[in-house]
Amino acid sequence: MKLSKRRSALVAAGISGALLLSACGGGGSDDSSSSGGSGAGAEGGTFSVYIGEPENPLVPGNTAESEGDQVISSLWTGLVRYTEEGEVDYSGVAESIESEDNTTWTVTLKDGWTFHDGSPVDAESFVNAWNYTAYSPNAQGAASYLARIQGYDDLQAPVDEATGEATGEPAATEMSGLQVVDDQTFTVTLSSPFSNFPAITGYNSFHPLPQAFFDDPEGFGTRPIGNGPFQAEEDFVPGQGVTLTRYDDYAGEDAAVADSVEYVVYADVNTAYTDVQAGNLDIVDVIPPDVIESAESEFGDRFIRTESSQITYIGFPTYDERFADPRVRQAFSMAIDREAISEAIFQGTRAPADSFIPPVIDGYREGSCTYCTLDADQANQLLEEAGFDKSQPVDLWFNAGAGHDAWMEAVGNQLRDNLGVEYTLQGNLEFAEYLPLASSQGLTGPFRIGWSFDYPAADSYLTPLFTQAAFGPAGSNYSFYSNPEVEELLVAGDQAESPEAGLEDYQAAEDIIAEDMPMAPMFFTEIQSVTSENVSNVRLDLFQRIVTSEVTVNS
Amino acid sequence: MGRYVARRLLLTIPVLLGASFLIFAMVYALPGDPIRALGGDRPLSPAVIAELRERFHLNDPLYVQYWEYVKGLFQGDLGTDFRGRPVLDTIERTLPVTVKLALVAIVFEAVIGLVAGVLAGIRRNSFFDNLVLVSTTLVVSIPILVLAFFAQLLFGLRLQWFPIAGTNEGLYSYLLPGLVLASGSLAYVARLTRTSLAENLRADYVRTARAKGLPNRTVIVRHTLRNSLIPVVTYIGADIGTLLGGAIVTETVFNLPGIGREVFNSIRSQEGAVVVGIVTLMVFFFIFFNLVVDVLYAVLDPRIRYD
């Protein structure tokens, strides 16, 4: 989901900044949370946090990238929140989200929640916000998260497939699936049953918007009015940042400990890192990969490791006849020594991936990807059975300027050594060119892609990547893989009586995907953060955002 | 003189239009799709993409897009970026930062460069002359990126004399980046001044002046320096135009939200309107300061007349 401008900006000599996932590593997990400071801090104080420039105005429904997301998470609290294990926690605005048939859900809100301008957080503020976000002429970037709601399609302008131009207005302005019952209650009807619906409602697209937003949508993004632990009392200044202050009438349990948090926009994360070293900045949540080793000894317990929800894949173009045979894809996956690359290139900061659902997510099974461990003999045997032509080199694709060169080359070398297949690196395209090429079946060989969940649940790693509905250009199924059995199991999982029951179906689907191997999981990512001596209790949540409400400022 | 200046200013109009069209065409020709890239790994829905393409006229042919742009230009509208922010606001926000940085750099460049150059020129082959020669060679040969990081680590982090990044401490924040930015030109100015001065000191009119019994100080300041400064002024003048275009590396390393950083990011994300607006402005600065230099010639050298 989220495009991490950041994680790449770090890499190439500092000023790169390409759009996408990359860099920092995964590896040994270790307890992610708080960085010591035994009772050191008291309430109050102010601290500062690094961010890159947000891509969009600060409106939740238009924020699907990591930088703006960081700020939004301080300004808003959604219907539900998540525990550190990724389970739904009703400590948000919702008292309950219940359904008898997994299709029509009744959302009951808690009393006493207000926006920062004092207006109440009521059912209308959710329904209006969702309708606004989904209505395609409003061009909200995170709109598609609402696609499960009945009537979502009616809010999409018809688009001519050939030209990509809109051919008219959407049929409706409000989703038929949303009904306000009273101030504190509304119902959500989905277009098909989905047992895990509460789990997706904590994300940005589902946040409420006050009336003030609809009065002036454009000015709102500069000084947003949310319902979260911090409020914006000044404008966000592009290129510089914003200081948020504690919202004293906050109704949630996670009221802010500090008085204020200053988000400082940096063009280059290396500069931000130096600023933390000097004590001018308090938190950098994702440090540049080249300083990881020295940072660990330099910062001691102020160096924080967090297992991330991101998986790095090598995808296969199943539309290319050389990679149409699953045995070829299995062979390639087995010819790669993930462990060795992790050690040599990432200094152990990425863990070799052994499943399609990462360890931080409920449903992870160790080793569920059977072809993810090195076995050169079996790989060669499979290639032979499949009749793969080894005399032709394979193209290895990745996007430029995001630090993928070294490890993709290592992958190529292993393919050459273990399979006897020569390779050509295709790493000259910037992300803006890479993605359209990928989604129009233009990649001629194995390719790099990163993925993280939309909401913390197993199906968020399967449905968006391995179903026909997710084919390009609108989806993220860049390998163009589809298998009716997988589709059936995923639908069965969605419609299961409970999320727990659904998990079995998802895992069954994962097993088939592991056998078909449209994409080979490579690494689970880990994130490294550093803090100054000024702060304690710093942790990153599952979305890799700093939990700003918990941070204490040492006096 | 007045007519000359007026004519030169009038000439900038077609130059600016031509330049903006060229830049427009170049951004248009960039491969890739800026709208698609906005969504990241998770693509935007087709209806949202269609809406955004429509909003930013991306479906129209080049000449229609350019015409829309020029039409807006005459109404004082430089267009908006993909976030809906007016380009004019972006320029208003980033230009002052770059102007301050450029001014600090120019002051360093002119003061240190000229003083070092003049002293070295007067005492040729002295220790000081050799020191200038060696140090300027050194500075010119180090890439500015290395210099910037080095200065930041040494003066910012280790010695803590200067802030590491940002503009929080007012003009003081600009000193270190200004010095780094000026370093290359500073070295060049010093050498240019030295050579020019040394050459003129051997000229006939200097010998005449000395023969008339003028004091050394008058010979150097009134006669030699004035003549020697012509190439230096040309260089510094043109450099102002360049510096106002922003310094991508310096602004990025020292996290100064200036125009160079902005245009660099905009090229990467193919923000056509921002790139065209800012680069056209850069072209204007360049033309303008070259004109100023030409006018200054006439002041420095009475033999030059423009009418």
Side-chain angles (χ1 to χ4, degrees), chain A residues 16 21 137 267 271 430 450 454, chain B residues 36 41-42 55 253 255 268:
Chain A
S16 85
L21 322 157
T271 310
E430 292 280 338
D454 296 340
Chain B
R36 294 293 304 281
D41 263 353
R42 185 184 172 101
R55 203 177 277 184
V253 172
N255 205 38
R268 292 199 65 121

Side-chain angles (χ1 to χ4, degrees), chain B residues 113-124 128-129 188-206 210 216-232:
Chain B
L114 276 180
V115 170
V118 167
L119 292 182
I122 295 171
R123 303 191 195 124
R124 252 169 306 153
F128 185 78
D129 186 20
Y188 193 76
V189 167
R191 293 185 142 202
L192 200 60
T193 311
R194 174 193 175 275
T195 316
S196 179
L197 193 67
E199 208 168 274
N200 279 319
L201 279 174
R202 283 195 294 260
D204 290 345
Y205 69 88
V206 173
R210 287 196 203 278
N216 195 32
R217 186 183 180 80
T218 316
V219 172
I220 288 175
V221 175
R222 293 266 318 264
H223 295 263
T224 326
L225 203 54
R226 186 163 163 180
N227 271 325
S228 310
L229 280 186
I230 292 179
V232 180

